[in-house]
Amino acid sequence: MYHLFHDLVRLDHVTGAGLAPMSLGLANIDHLVLTGAGWLLIDAKGCGAGVLGTDARGKGQLTTPVGERVAQPWMDTSRSYSQAGVVYRLTTGKKGQLVWVVPEGTDIDEASAARARIFERGGTLCDLTEIVSGALEPMLPDPVPVDPWDLERLTGHLSAP
């Protein structure tokens, strides 16, 4: 069975397993698919139309259709891994995967984007067209029953229960 959570908030002081609180500020998790076997964290990005990749220094950027280069700081951080750490803690150590989803009008320069810091520990970047055609299916954890305690802890972080 799959459980889909949308807009998990108040993640700034989640603790667990003797670890110190996470310091995420006002971070939220856009979407989370949870099963008893693991989870898939989906981070939606509204970067706009153009080509997504990195510059010569490996910093994330979007080159718009008119040639403007727009910095994409979300590609230069490990914040998503902190969010994944929160999910790991709230599900008592379940492992999962990260996927960043960009709008349909965003083309991904795969070779260039692969140099971004967000991929230092894995993860997948895809656009909405790929999602519609089933790109998430192989990433979904097996649909086994979820521990009710995991559900309760995550439900406590929903922005609108």
Side-chain angles (χ1 to χ4, degrees):
M1 174 179 286
Y2 292 105
H3 296 271
L4 176 62
F5 295 88
H6 172 69
D7 201 20
L8 293 165
V9 297
R10 298 178 307 278
L11 305 170
D12 51 339
H13 291 290
V14 171
T15 61
L19 300 171
M22 304 291 285
S23 179
L24 290 175
L26 299 175
N28 75 310
I29 292 176
D30 294 332
H31 309 283
L32 180 71
V33 178
L34 176 69
T35 75
W39 47 264
L40 177 63
L41 190 152
I42 303 166
D43 196 1
K45 298 299 178 187
C47 52
V51 178
L52 188 65
T54 57
D55 63 15
R57 298 174 297 142
K59 299 289 185 176
Q61 74 175 7
L62 177 79
T63 305
T64 68
V66 296
E68 179 185 4
R69 296 178 189 267
V70 180
Q72 299 297 305
W74 62 271
M75 294 178 74
D76 307 327
T77 179
S78 60
R79 183 174 151 206
S80 291
Y81 294 102
S82 294
Q83 292 172 326
V86 166
V87 176
Y88 179 84
R89 290 176 180 195
L90 289 172
T91 60
T92 55
K94 283 190 180 48
K95 295 184 180 180
Q97 295 187 59
L98 292 167
V99 63
W100 296 272
V101 180
V102 297
E104 194 170 328
T106 305
D107 293 323
I108 302 167
D109 178 342
E110 300 287 341
S112 174
R115 295 192 301 265
R117 184 170 181 206
I118 58 170
F119 295 114
E120 286 179 349
R121 298 181 192 158
T124 303
L125 178 64
C126 57
D127 65 26
L128 283 176
T129 302
E130 292 172 296
I131 298 296
V132 170
S133 66
L136 292 184
E137 191 171 337
M139 294 180 228
L140 291 170
D142 291 334
V144 298
V146 174
D147 182 336
W149 183 235
D150 291 345
L151 288 175
E152 184 176 326
R153 281 181 290 205
L154 286 164
T155 301
H157 289 276
L158 288 170
S159 65

